[in-house]
Amino acid sequence: DVKVTQSSRYLVKRTGEKVFLECVQDMDHENMFWYRQDPGLGLRLIYFSYDVKMKEKGDIPEGYSVSREKKERFSLILESASTNQTSMYLCASSFGRSGLRYEQYFGPGTRLTVT
Amino acid sequence: AQSVTQLGSHVSVSEGALVLLRCNYSSSVPPYLFWYVQYPNQGLQLLLKYTTGATLVKGINGFEAEFKKSETSFHLTKPSAHMSDAAEYFCAVSERSNYQLIWGAGTKLIIKP
């Protein structure tokens, strides 16, 4: 079974703090994704990575950065957390091979509250 | 740009009744299509997918969906709802030129006893 794990299920941080969200997958997937999920807005892509040290901006990258130093690990960084970044953060991964790359596997999510 | 529309942010059905969740997409080129389910406080789980071939696709937990190119639709159905089906359901469509999925806003399915 594909396993995508996220470092925390629930996280509470203060405004201005630097926040690290970690994601690890064990299926040797090439692609990894960070989304945020807010009620009524579905999933919005923050960043994705299709290879180690490679990253691409998604639809809402402002206020976030990412790091992918190893194939299995993709980190999301909130440089200076703000209250409007309170959300559910979902990590996903997928194969890079044509025909398989679209099927994404998700972690359990991190519910981040910024106060 | 590709877009996905899920009709109804909330759908309520009685236990044992037919479930119908609607999904329409905007592309003129048949994409890959997906339905995911999210149970409370969990990540998303793949329910079923259409890539090529048979347009009626069967998934887990008794769900199925039919790809209708002429209607640009991929509606999700289940003949008889069960209490355990209460969850949020997301339709997603691929952009064939890249790795990304375009997501609908989600539909919360409520099952009445």
Side-chain angles (χ1 to χ4, degrees):
Chain A
D1 263 1
V2 176
K3 192 128 176 150
V4 181
T5 55
Q6 295 184 228
S7 49
S8 304
R9 293 299 306 275
Y10 300 92
L11 210 50
V12 180
K13 295 292 181 180
R14 293 200 180 275
T15 302
E17 277 193 83
K18 191 168 187 175
V19 182
F20 294 86
L21 302 182
E22 301 281 332
C23 175
V24 178
Q25 50 93 5
D26 68 356
M27 276 301 293
D28 203 33
H29 283 171
E30 287 80 8
N31 305 324
M32 295 188 76
F33 307 82
W34 275 107
Y35 294 94
R36 66 176 280 177
Q37 181 183 13
D38 300 288
L41 297 178
L43 276 69
R44 293 181 292 168
L45 182 65
I46 305 172
Y47 269 97
F48 70 99
S49 168
Y50 53 89
D51 201 352
V52 175
K53 297 194 188 293
M54 306 301 288
K55 60 186 179 185
E56 295 278 347
K57 291 180 180 179
D59 300 318
I60 52 164
E62 297 79 20
Y64 303 94
S65 62
V66 290
S67 172
R68 192 164 181 204
E69 297 295 319
K70 293 186 177 181
K71 190 175 185 180
E72 67 271 18
R73 189 180 296 270
F74 192 35
S75 302
L76 180 69
I77 303 148
L78 286 65
E79 297 291 341
S80 177
S82 64
T83 55
N84 63 13
Q85 293 179 309
T86 291
S87 187
M88 170 73 97
Y89 289 88
L90 292 166
C91 175
S93 68
S94 71
F95 285 109
R97 296 193 290 278
S98 176
L100 293 175
R101 63 171 66 124
Y102 302 107
E103 186 171 331
Q104 294 182 15
Y105 296 83
F106 283 82
T110 295
R111 191 167 290 282
L112 173 68
T113 302
V114 182
T115 61
Chain B
Q2 178 79 271
S3 65
V4 178
T5 303
Q6 290 185 239
L7 192 63
S9 59
H10 293 76
V11 169
S12 181
V13 301
S14 298
E15 192 173 17
L18 171 72
V19 174
L20 171 61
L21 304 181
R22 299 177 189 273
C23 174
N24 287 89
Y25 63 92
S26 62
S27 174
S28 58
V29 176
Y32 294 164
L33 298 152
F34 302 83
W35 276 100
Y36 282 80
V37 59
Q38 184 181 33
Y39 298 102
N41 296 314
Q42 293 187 26
L44 276 70
Q45 178 184 0
L46 181 67
L47 207 51
L48 49 78
K49 64 181 178 182
Y50 169 80
T51 54
T52 57
T55 56
L56 183 63
V57 179
K58 293 189 187 299
I60 60 172
N61 302 337
F63 283 92
E64 60 183 37
E66 187 171 11
F67 167 55
K68 291 189 177 179
K69 184 180 173 182
S70 60
E71 298 177 9
T72 60
S73 70
F74 191 56
H75 301 332
L76 182 70
T77 60
K78 182 173 180 178
S80 176
H82 193 270
M83 295 300 291
S84 60
D85 295 326
E88 190 158 18
Y89 292 80
F90 292 91
C91 180
V93 169
S94 67
E95 289 275 7
R96 291 204 176 206
S97 59
N98 63 38
Y99 311 100
Q100 297 182 42
L101 292 178
I102 309 302
W103 295 87
T107 298
K108 268 207 173 80
L109 178 62
I110 300 158
I111 311 295
K112 296 179 292 187

mmCIF file of all heavy atoms in Angstrom, chain A residues 9-10 31 33 35 37 40 42-43 45 48 50 90 99 101-104 106-108, chain B residues 32 34 36 38 41-44 46 49 90 94-96 98-101 103-105:
data_model
loop_
_atom_site.group_PDB
_atom_site.id
_atom_site.type_symbol
_atom_site.label_atom_id
_atom_site.label_comp_id
_atom_site.label_asym_id
_atom_site.label_seq_id
_atom_site.Cartn_x
_atom_site.Cartn_y
_atom_site.Cartn_z
ATOM 1 N N ARG A 9 -0.772 16.001 12.750
ATOM 2 C CA ARG A 9 -2.188 16.059 12.383
ATOM 3 C C ARG A 9 -2.782 17.420 12.735
ATOM 4 O O ARG A 9 -3.616 17.944 12.014
ATOM 5 C CB ARG A 9 -2.977 14.967 13.102
ATOM 6 C CG ARG A 9 -2.649 13.554 12.670
ATOM 7 C CD ARG A 9 -2.944 13.303 11.180
ATOM 8 N NE ARG A 9 -4.293 13.628 10.788
ATOM 9 C CZ ARG A 9 -5.340 12.813 10.893
ATOM 10 N NH1 ARG A 9 -5.182 11.609 11.405
ATOM 11 N NH2 ARG A 9 -6.531 13.190 10.484
ATOM 12 N N TYR A 10 -2.347 17.957 13.872
ATOM 13 C CA TYR A 10 -2.835 19.252 14.333
ATOM 14 C C TYR A 10 -1.637 20.081 14.777
ATOM 15 O O TYR A 10 -0.707 19.567 15.395
ATOM 16 C CB TYR A 10 -3.808 19.093 15.510
ATOM 17 C CG TYR A 10 -5.038 18.274 15.169
ATOM 18 C CD1 TYR A 10 -5.065 16.905 15.389
ATOM 19 C CD2 TYR A 10 -6.154 18.882 14.606
ATOM 20 C CE1 TYR A 10 -6.182 16.159 15.058
ATOM 21 C CE2 TYR A 10 -7.283 18.133 14.280
ATOM 22 C CZ TYR A 10 -7.278 16.769 14.509
ATOM 23 O OH TYR A 10 -8.389 16.046 14.179
ATOM 24 N N ASN A 31 6.566 12.634 -8.310
ATOM 25 C CA ASN A 31 5.837 13.888 -8.114
ATOM 26 C C ASN A 31 5.308 14.009 -6.688
ATOM 27 O O ASN A 31 4.801 13.044 -6.126
ATOM 28 C CB ASN A 31 4.642 13.969 -9.073
ATOM 29 C CG ASN A 31 5.042 13.798 -10.515
ATOM 30 O OD1 ASN A 31 6.098 14.243 -10.930
ATOM 31 N ND2 ASN A 31 4.194 13.138 -11.286
ATOM 32 N N PHE A 33 3.103 16.992 -4.069
ATOM 33 C CA PHE A 33 2.249 18.165 -4.132
ATOM 34 C C PHE A 33 1.897 18.636 -2.713
ATOM 35 O O PHE A 33 1.736 17.825 -1.812
ATOM 36 C CB PHE A 33 0.922 17.835 -4.829
ATOM 37 C CG PHE A 33 1.065 17.193 -6.175
ATOM 38 C CD1 PHE A 33 1.299 15.833 -6.303
ATOM 39 C CD2 PHE A 33 0.951 17.955 -7.325
ATOM 40 C CE1 PHE A 33 1.434 15.238 -7.551
ATOM 41 C CE2 PHE A 33 1.072 17.362 -8.577
ATOM 42 C CZ PHE A 33 1.320 16.009 -8.692
ATOM 43 N N TYR A 35 -1.212 20.995 -1.080
ATOM 44 C CA TYR A 35 -2.473 21.690 -1.271
ATOM 45 C C TYR A 35 -2.904 22.297 0.056
ATOM 46 O O TYR A 35 -2.571 21.798 1.121
ATOM 47 C CB TYR A 35 -3.586 20.705 -1.656
ATOM 48 C CG TYR A 35 -3.455 20.026 -2.986
ATOM 49 C CD1 TYR A 35 -2.864 18.768 -3.098
ATOM 50 C CD2 TYR A 35 -3.978 20.609 -4.133
ATOM 51 C CE1 TYR A 35 -2.790 18.124 -4.321
ATOM 52 C CE2 TYR A 35 -3.906 19.967 -5.361
ATOM 53 C CZ TYR A 35 -3.317 18.731 -5.445
ATOM 54 O OH TYR A 35 -3.243 18.089 -6.656
ATOM 55 N N GLN A 37 -6.735 23.172 1.814
ATOM 56 C CA GLN A 37 -8.144 22.891 1.643
ATOM 57 C C GLN A 37 -8.945 23.783 2.570
ATOM 58 O O GLN A 37 -8.746 23.761 3.782
ATOM 59 C CB GLN A 37 -8.451 21.417 1.958
ATOM 60 C CG GLN A 37 -9.902 21.055 1.777
ATOM 61 C CD GLN A 37 -10.219 19.623 2.165
ATOM 62 O OE1 GLN A 37 -9.421 18.947 2.792
ATOM 63 N NE2 GLN A 37 -11.373 19.148 1.766
ATOM 64 N N GLY A 40 -15.633 25.048 0.871
ATOM 65 C CA GLY A 40 -16.231 25.678 -0.303
ATOM 66 C C GLY A 40 -15.258 26.021 -1.416
ATOM 67 O O GLY A 40 -15.678 26.439 -2.496
ATOM 68 N N GLY A 42 -12.589 23.795 -2.270
ATOM 69 C CA GLY A 42 -11.943 22.591 -2.765
ATOM 70 C C GLY A 42 -10.473 22.573 -2.395
ATOM 71 O O GLY A 42 -10.059 23.110 -1.363
ATOM 72 N N LEU A 43 -9.665 21.982 -3.243
ATOM 73 C CA LEU A 43 -8.224 21.901 -3.026
ATOM 74 C C LEU A 43 -7.536 22.913 -3.932
ATOM 75 O O LEU A 43 -7.818 22.970 -5.131
ATOM 76 C CB LEU A 43 -7.707 20.507 -3.366
ATOM 77 C CG LEU A 43 -7.816 19.445 -2.286
ATOM 78 C CD1 LEU A 43 -9.262 19.060 -2.033
ATOM 79 C CD2 LEU A 43 -6.992 18.226 -2.652
ATOM 80 N N LEU A 45 -3.752 24.215 -5.182
ATOM 81 C CA LEU A 45 -2.360 23.774 -5.246
ATOM 82 C C LEU A 45 -1.433 24.907 -4.841
ATOM 83 O O LEU A 45 -1.495 26.005 -5.407
ATOM 84 C CB LEU A 45 -2.040 23.294 -6.658
ATOM 85 C CG LEU A 45 -0.650 22.751 -6.896
ATOM 86 C CD1 LEU A 45 -0.428 21.475 -6.080
ATOM 87 C CD2 LEU A 45 -0.443 22.482 -8.377
ATOM 88 N N PHE A 48 4.248 22.213 -6.309
ATOM 89 C CA PHE A 48 4.511 20.806 -6.578
ATOM 90 C C PHE A 48 5.947 20.623 -7.026
ATOM 91 O O PHE A 48 6.640 21.582 -7.384
ATOM 92 C CB PHE A 48 3.509 20.230 -7.575
ATOM 93 C CG PHE A 48 3.651 20.720 -8.986
ATOM 94 C CD1 PHE A 48 4.319 19.964 -9.937
ATOM 95 C CD2 PHE A 48 3.062 21.907 -9.376
ATOM 96 C CE1 PHE A 48 4.424 20.412 -11.244
ATOM 97 C CE2 PHE A 48 3.168 22.365 -10.680
ATOM 98 C CZ PHE A 48 3.844 21.620 -11.620
ATOM 99 N N TYR A 50 8.443 17.757 -9.283
ATOM 100 C CA TYR A 50 8.462 16.571 -10.124
ATOM 101 C C TYR A 50 9.806 15.856 -10.080
ATOM 102 O O TYR A 50 10.040 14.880 -10.800
ATOM 103 C CB TYR A 50 8.081 16.905 -11.567
ATOM 104 C CG TYR A 50 8.888 18.015 -12.180
ATOM 105 C CD1 TYR A 50 10.066 17.745 -12.853
ATOM 106 C CD2 TYR A 50 8.470 19.338 -12.092
ATOM 107 C CE1 TYR A 50 10.810 18.750 -13.413
ATOM 108 C CE2 TYR A 50 9.207 20.356 -12.641
ATOM 109 C CZ TYR A 50 10.376 20.066 -13.304
ATOM 110 O OH TYR A 50 11.116 21.069 -13.859
ATOM 111 N N LEU A 90 -2.775 19.486 2.828
ATOM 112 C CA LEU A 90 -2.726 18.106 2.355
ATOM 113 C C LEU A 90 -1.516 17.925 1.442
ATOM 114 O O LEU A 90 -1.273 18.721 0.541
ATOM 115 C CB LEU A 90 -3.991 17.772 1.569
ATOM 116 C CG LEU A 90 -5.284 17.716 2.376
ATOM 117 C CD1 LEU A 90 -6.493 17.719 1.468
ATOM 118 C CD2 LEU A 90 -5.315 16.474 3.250
ATOM 119 N N GLY A 99 0.656 8.153 -17.988
ATOM 120 C CA GLY A 99 -0.491 7.277 -17.744
ATOM 121 C C GLY A 99 -0.747 7.036 -16.280
ATOM 122 O O GLY A 99 -1.856 6.706 -15.896
ATOM 123 N N ARG A 101 0.747 9.290 -13.862
ATOM 124 C CA ARG A 101 1.166 10.455 -13.107
ATOM 125 C C ARG A 101 0.006 11.218 -12.507
ATOM 126 O O ARG A 101 0.192 12.040 -11.624
ATOM 127 C CB ARG A 101 1.999 11.385 -13.978
ATOM 128 C CG ARG A 101 1.279 11.978 -15.165
ATOM 129 C CD ARG A 101 2.144 13.030 -15.811
ATOM 130 N NE ARG A 101 3.335 12.457 -16.388
ATOM 131 C CZ ARG A 101 3.708 12.595 -17.661
ATOM 132 N NH1 ARG A 101 2.945 13.276 -18.472
ATOM 133 N NH2 ARG A 101 4.811 12.078 -18.091
ATOM 134 N N TYR A 102 -1.214 10.992 -12.995
ATOM 135 C CA TYR A 102 -2.317 11.802 -12.504
ATOM 136 C C TYR A 102 -2.957 11.257 -11.250
ATOM 137 O O TYR A 102 -3.664 11.975 -10.556
ATOM 138 C CB TYR A 102 -3.377 11.947 -13.592
ATOM 139 C CG TYR A 102 -2.817 12.552 -14.849
ATOM 140 C CD1 TYR A 102 -2.604 11.783 -15.977
ATOM 141 C CD2 TYR A 102 -2.472 13.895 -14.887
ATOM 142 C CE1 TYR A 102 -2.064 12.326 -17.119
ATOM 143 C CE2 TYR A 102 -1.928 14.452 -16.032
ATOM 144 C CZ TYR A 102 -1.731 13.668 -17.146
ATOM 145 O OH TYR A 102 -1.198 14.207 -18.258
ATOM 146 N N GLU A 103 -2.741 9.998 -10.939
ATOM 147 C CA GLU A 103 -3.392 9.405 -9.775
ATOM 148 C C GLU A 103 -2.608 9.785 -8.532
ATOM 149 O O GLU A 103 -1.493 9.305 -8.333
ATOM 150 C CB GLU A 103 -3.473 7.900 -9.937
ATOM 151 C CG GLU A 103 -4.256 7.221 -8.837
ATOM 152 C CD GLU A 103 -4.486 5.761 -9.148
ATOM 153 O OE1 GLU A 103 -4.546 5.399 -10.348
ATOM 154 O OE2 GLU A 103 -4.591 4.982 -8.192
ATOM 155 N N GLN A 104 -3.167 10.620 -7.727
ATOM 156 C CA GLN A 104 -2.458 11.151 -6.567
ATOM 157 C C GLN A 104 -2.892 10.419 -5.296
ATOM 158 O O GLN A 104 -4.060 10.096 -5.117
ATOM 159 C CB GLN A 104 -2.717 12.654 -6.438
ATOM 160 C CG GLN A 104 -2.127 13.438 -7.602
ATOM 161 C CD GLN A 104 -2.313 14.927 -7.487
ATOM 162 O OE1 GLN A 104 -2.647 15.456 -6.428
ATOM 163 N NE2 GLN A 104 -2.087 15.633 -8.586
ATOM 164 N N PHE A 106 -2.822 10.619 -1.113
ATOM 165 C CA PHE A 106 -2.830 11.699 -0.133
ATOM 166 C C PHE A 106 -2.419 11.239 1.258
ATOM 167 O O PHE A 106 -2.707 10.117 1.674
ATOM 168 C CB PHE A 106 -4.233 12.311 -0.046
ATOM 169 C CG PHE A 106 -4.539 13.223 -1.184
ATOM 170 C CD1 PHE A 106 -4.970 12.716 -2.397
ATOM 171 C CD2 PHE A 106 -4.382 14.594 -1.057
ATOM 172 C CE1 PHE A 106 -5.237 13.544 -3.469
ATOM 173 C CE2 PHE A 106 -4.659 15.440 -2.117
ATOM 174 C CZ PHE A 106 -5.080 14.917 -3.319
ATOM 175 N N GLY A 107 -1.785 12.149 1.973
ATOM 176 C CA GLY A 107 -1.572 11.967 3.399
ATOM 177 C C GLY A 107 -2.821 12.345 4.165
ATOM 178 O O GLY A 107 -3.809 12.796 3.592
ATOM 179 N N PRO A 108 -2.798 12.174 5.502
ATOM 180 C CA PRO A 108 -3.983 12.418 6.329
ATOM 181 C C PRO A 108 -4.300 13.897 6.549
ATOM 182 O O PRO A 108 -5.369 14.229 7.021
ATOM 183 C CB PRO A 108 -3.627 11.744 7.651
ATOM 184 C CG PRO A 108 -2.142 11.781 7.692
ATOM 185 C CD PRO A 108 -1.679 11.636 6.280
ATOM 186 N N TYR B 32 -8.403 12.799 -18.272
ATOM 187 C CA TYR B 32 -8.568 11.746 -17.287
ATOM 188 C C TYR B 32 -9.462 12.314 -16.167
ATOM 189 O O TYR B 32 -9.326 13.477 -15.822
ATOM 190 C CB TYR B 32 -7.225 11.317 -16.687
ATOM 191 C CG TYR B 32 -6.272 10.651 -17.638
ATOM 192 C CD1 TYR B 32 -4.926 10.527 -17.311
ATOM 193 C CD2 TYR B 32 -6.688 10.135 -18.855
ATOM 194 C CE1 TYR B 32 -4.026 9.906 -18.167
ATOM 195 C CE2 TYR B 32 -5.801 9.517 -19.716
ATOM 196 C CZ TYR B 32 -4.473 9.410 -19.367
ATOM 197 O OH TYR B 32 -3.585 8.795 -20.220
ATOM 198 N N PHE B 34 -11.448 11.739 -12.250
ATOM 199 C CA PHE B 34 -11.307 11.060 -10.968
ATOM 200 C C PHE B 34 -12.419 11.491 -10.010
ATOM 201 O O PHE B 34 -12.893 12.628 -10.056
ATOM 202 C CB PHE B 34 -9.964 11.427 -10.295
ATOM 203 C CG PHE B 34 -8.763 11.096 -11.123
ATOM 204 C CD1 PHE B 34 -8.324 11.960 -12.111
ATOM 205 C CD2 PHE B 34 -8.054 9.926 -10.902
ATOM 206 C CE1 PHE B 34 -7.200 11.657 -12.881
ATOM 207 C CE2 PHE B 34 -6.937 9.616 -11.662
ATOM 208 C CZ PHE B 34 -6.517 10.483 -12.653
ATOM 209 N N TYR B 36 -12.667 11.352 -5.780
ATOM 210 C CA TYR B 36 -12.034 11.056 -4.502
ATOM 211 C C TYR B 36 -13.057 11.249 -3.386
ATOM 212 O O TYR B 36 -13.986 12.065 -3.499
ATOM 213 C CB TYR B 36 -10.864 12.011 -4.243
ATOM 214 C CG TYR B 36 -9.594 11.690 -4.986
ATOM 215 C CD1 TYR B 36 -9.430 12.049 -6.323
ATOM 216 C CD2 TYR B 36 -8.537 11.040 -4.342
ATOM 217 C CE1 TYR B 36 -8.241 11.764 -6.994
ATOM 218 C CE2 TYR B 36 -7.361 10.752 -5.004
ATOM 219 C CZ TYR B 36 -7.222 11.116 -6.319
ATOM 220 O OH TYR B 36 -6.047 10.839 -6.980
ATOM 221 N N GLN B 38 -13.408 11.939 0.913
ATOM 222 C CA GLN B 38 -12.707 12.367 2.125
ATOM 223 C C GLN B 38 -13.640 12.187 3.323
ATOM 224 O O GLN B 38 -14.658 12.871 3.438
ATOM 225 C CB GLN B 38 -12.277 13.824 2.016
ATOM 226 C CG GLN B 38 -11.449 14.290 3.206
ATOM 227 C CD GLN B 38 -11.049 15.750 3.097
ATOM 228 O OE1 GLN B 38 -11.778 16.574 2.560
ATOM 229 N NE2 GLN B 38 -9.868 16.078 3.609
ATOM 230 N N ASN B 41 -11.829 14.456 8.934
ATOM 231 C CA ASN B 41 -10.472 14.513 9.504
ATOM 232 C C ASN B 41 -9.505 13.504 8.883
ATOM 233 O O ASN B 41 -8.588 13.022 9.556
ATOM 234 C CB ASN B 41 -10.516 14.308 11.017
ATOM 235 C CG ASN B 41 -11.268 15.428 11.693
ATOM 236 O OD1 ASN B 41 -11.053 16.592 11.385
ATOM 237 N ND2 ASN B 41 -12.170 15.087 12.586
ATOM 238 N N GLN B 42 -9.724 13.200 7.616
ATOM 239 C CA GLN B 42 -8.802 12.314 6.921
ATOM 240 C C GLN B 42 -8.375 12.935 5.600
ATOM 241 O O GLN B 42 -8.945 13.930 5.146
ATOM 242 C CB GLN B 42 -9.470 10.957 6.654
ATOM 243 C CG GLN B 42 -9.762 10.168 7.912
ATOM 244 C CD GLN B 42 -10.268 8.770 7.588
ATOM 245 O OE1 GLN B 42 -9.976 8.208 6.536
ATOM 246 N NE2 GLN B 42 -11.027 8.205 8.510
ATOM 247 N N GLY B 43 -7.379 12.333 4.982
ATOM 248 C CA GLY B 43 -6.976 12.740 3.649
ATOM 249 C C GLY B 43 -7.937 12.200 2.605
ATOM 250 O O GLY B 43 -8.944 11.578 2.931
ATOM 251 N N LEU B 44 -7.617 12.446 1.350
ATOM 252 C CA LEU B 44 -8.476 11.998 0.256
ATOM 253 C C LEU B 44 -8.079 10.598 -0.189
ATOM 254 O O LEU B 44 -6.891 10.251 -0.223
ATOM 255 C CB LEU B 44 -8.367 12.951 -0.935
ATOM 256 C CG LEU B 44 -9.241 14.198 -0.884
ATOM 257 C CD1 LEU B 44 -8.753 15.164 0.171
ATOM 258 C CD2 LEU B 44 -9.264 14.869 -2.250
ATOM 259 N N LEU B 46 -8.793 7.684 -3.329
ATOM 260 C CA LEU B 46 -9.322 7.511 -4.672
ATOM 261 C C LEU B 46 -10.503 6.552 -4.662
ATOM 262 O O LEU B 46 -10.413 5.443 -4.145
ATOM 263 C CB LEU B 46 -8.233 6.973 -5.601
ATOM 264 C CG LEU B 46 -8.645 6.774 -7.054
ATOM 265 C CD1 LEU B 46 -8.938 8.114 -7.727
ATOM 266 C CD2 LEU B 46 -7.552 6.029 -7.829
ATOM 267 N N LYS B 49 -11.610 6.034 -11.250
ATOM 268 C CA LYS B 49 -10.998 6.897 -12.260
ATOM 269 C C LYS B 49 -11.394 6.422 -13.647
ATOM 270 O O LYS B 49 -11.650 5.236 -13.874
ATOM 271 C CB LYS B 49 -9.482 6.900 -12.118
ATOM 272 C CG LYS B 49 -8.842 5.547 -12.376
ATOM 273 C CD LYS B 49 -7.334 5.597 -12.210
ATOM 274 C CE LYS B 49 -6.733 4.207 -12.424
ATOM 275 N NZ LYS B 49 -5.274 4.178 -12.223
ATOM 276 N N PHE B 90 -14.979 14.636 -4.014
ATOM 277 C CA PHE B 90 -14.333 15.582 -4.914
ATOM 278 C C PHE B 90 -14.161 14.963 -6.289
ATOM 279 O O PHE B 90 -13.668 13.845 -6.418
ATOM 280 C CB PHE B 90 -12.951 15.985 -4.389
ATOM 281 C CG PHE B 90 -12.994 16.814 -3.134
ATOM 282 C CD1 PHE B 90 -12.950 16.204 -1.895
ATOM 283 C CD2 PHE B 90 -13.069 18.196 -3.212
ATOM 284 C CE1 PHE B 90 -12.988 16.965 -0.732
ATOM 285 C CE2 PHE B 90 -13.106 18.956 -2.058
ATOM 286 C CZ PHE B 90 -13.065 18.337 -0.820
ATOM 287 N N SER B 94 -7.715 15.810 -15.069
ATOM 288 C CA SER B 94 -6.307 16.032 -15.354
ATOM 289 C C SER B 94 -6.127 17.104 -16.413
ATOM 290 O O SER B 94 -6.965 17.274 -17.287
ATOM 291 C CB SER B 94 -5.668 14.755 -15.877
ATOM 292 O OG SER B 94 -6.212 14.450 -17.141
ATOM 293 N N GLU B 95 -5.007 17.749 -16.320
ATOM 294 C CA GLU B 95 -4.478 18.529 -17.432
ATOM 295 C C GLU B 95 -3.478 17.613 -18.097
ATOM 296 O O GLU B 95 -2.447 17.314 -17.530
ATOM 297 C CB GLU B 95 -3.764 19.786 -16.926
ATOM 298 C CG GLU B 95 -4.675 20.841 -16.368
ATOM 299 C CD GLU B 95 -5.241 21.767 -17.433
ATOM 300 O OE1 GLU B 95 -5.031 21.503 -18.626
ATOM 301 O OE2 GLU B 95 -5.896 22.751 -17.055
ATOM 302 N N ARG B 96 -3.768 17.128 -19.280
ATOM 303 C CA ARG B 96 -2.912 16.089 -19.851
ATOM 304 C C ARG B 96 -1.495 16.578 -20.124
ATOM 305 O O ARG B 96 -0.596 15.793 -20.263
ATOM 306 C CB ARG B 96 -3.534 15.549 -21.134
ATOM 307 C CG ARG B 96 -4.783 14.750 -20.865
ATOM 308 C CD ARG B 96 -5.082 13.761 -21.951
ATOM 309 N NE ARG B 96 -6.238 12.955 -21.599
ATOM 310 C CZ ARG B 96 -6.439 11.741 -22.073
ATOM 311 N NH1 ARG B 96 -5.581 11.210 -22.900
ATOM 312 N NH2 ARG B 96 -7.504 11.077 -21.712
ATOM 313 N N ASN B 98 0.395 18.331 -18.151
ATOM 314 C CA ASN B 98 1.273 18.419 -16.987
ATOM 315 C C ASN B 98 0.815 17.437 -15.926
ATOM 316 O O ASN B 98 0.019 16.547 -16.186
ATOM 317 C CB ASN B 98 1.343 19.864 -16.455
ATOM 318 C CG ASN B 98 -0.005 20.353 -15.973
ATOM 319 O OD1 ASN B 98 -0.772 19.608 -15.389
ATOM 320 N ND2 ASN B 98 -0.291 21.613 -16.231
ATOM 321 N N TYR B 99 1.361 17.586 -14.736
ATOM 322 C CA TYR B 99 1.117 16.588 -13.694
ATOM 323 C C TYR B 99 -0.077 16.915 -12.827
ATOM 324 O O TYR B 99 -0.387 16.198 -11.902
ATOM 325 C CB TYR B 99 2.353 16.516 -12.790
ATOM 326 C CG TYR B 99 3.637 16.375 -13.549
ATOM 327 C CD1 TYR B 99 4.444 17.475 -13.777
ATOM 328 C CD2 TYR B 99 4.025 15.138 -14.031
ATOM 329 C CE1 TYR B 99 5.628 17.337 -14.488
ATOM 330 C CE2 TYR B 99 5.211 15.003 -14.732
ATOM 331 C CZ TYR B 99 6.005 16.110 -14.961
ATOM 332 O OH TYR B 99 7.175 15.979 -15.642
ATOM 333 N N GLN B 100 -0.743 17.983 -13.124
ATOM 334 C CA GLN B 100 -1.684 18.506 -12.143
ATOM 335 C C GLN B 100 -3.098 17.982 -12.341
ATOM 336 O O GLN B 100 -3.491 17.550 -13.413
ATOM 337 C CB GLN B 100 -1.705 20.027 -12.234
ATOM 338 C CG GLN B 100 -0.381 20.653 -11.894
ATOM 339 C CD GLN B 100 -0.461 22.165 -11.944
ATOM 340 O OE1 GLN B 100 -1.423 22.765 -11.479
ATOM 341 N NE2 GLN B 100 0.565 22.776 -12.513
ATOM 342 N N LEU B 101 -3.860 18.040 -11.247
ATOM 343 C CA LEU B 101 -5.291 17.798 -11.287
ATOM 344 C C LEU B 101 -6.010 19.112 -11.005
ATOM 345 O O LEU B 101 -5.558 19.924 -10.209
ATOM 346 C CB LEU B 101 -5.688 16.770 -10.239
ATOM 347 C CG LEU B 101 -5.202 15.326 -10.457
ATOM 348 C CD1 LEU B 101 -5.633 14.436 -9.303
ATOM 349 C CD2 LEU B 101 -5.705 14.779 -11.776
ATOM 350 N N TRP B 103 -9.441 20.567 -9.501
ATOM 351 C CA TRP B 103 -10.400 20.029 -8.532
ATOM 352 C C TRP B 103 -11.722 20.789 -8.524
ATOM 353 O O TRP B 103 -11.751 22.023 -8.648
ATOM 354 C CB TRP B 103 -9.784 20.103 -7.125
ATOM 355 C CG TRP B 103 -8.589 19.236 -6.974
ATOM 356 C CD1 TRP B 103 -7.295 19.575 -7.262
ATOM 357 C CD2 TRP B 103 -8.563 17.881 -6.525
ATOM 358 N NE1 TRP B 103 -6.465 18.501 -7.009
ATOM 359 C CE2 TRP B 103 -7.212 17.464 -6.558
ATOM 360 C CE3 TRP B 103 -9.543 16.978 -6.097
ATOM 361 C CZ2 TRP B 103 -6.817 16.171 -6.183
ATOM 362 C CZ3 TRP B 103 -9.144 15.703 -5.715
ATOM 363 C CH2 TRP B 103 -7.807 15.322 -5.764
ATOM 364 N N GLY B 104 -12.788 20.040 -8.346
ATOM 365 C CA GLY B 104 -14.060 20.659 -8.029
ATOM 366 C C GLY B 104 -14.071 21.107 -6.580
ATOM 367 O O GLY B 104 -13.179 20.757 -5.802
ATOM 368 N N ALA B 105 -15.093 21.879 -6.214
ATOM 369 C CA ALA B 105 -15.170 22.449 -4.870
ATOM 370 C C ALA B 105 -15.612 21.440 -3.815
ATOM 371 O O ALA B 105 -15.540 21.716 -2.620
ATOM 372 C CB ALA B 105 -16.110 23.645 -4.856
#
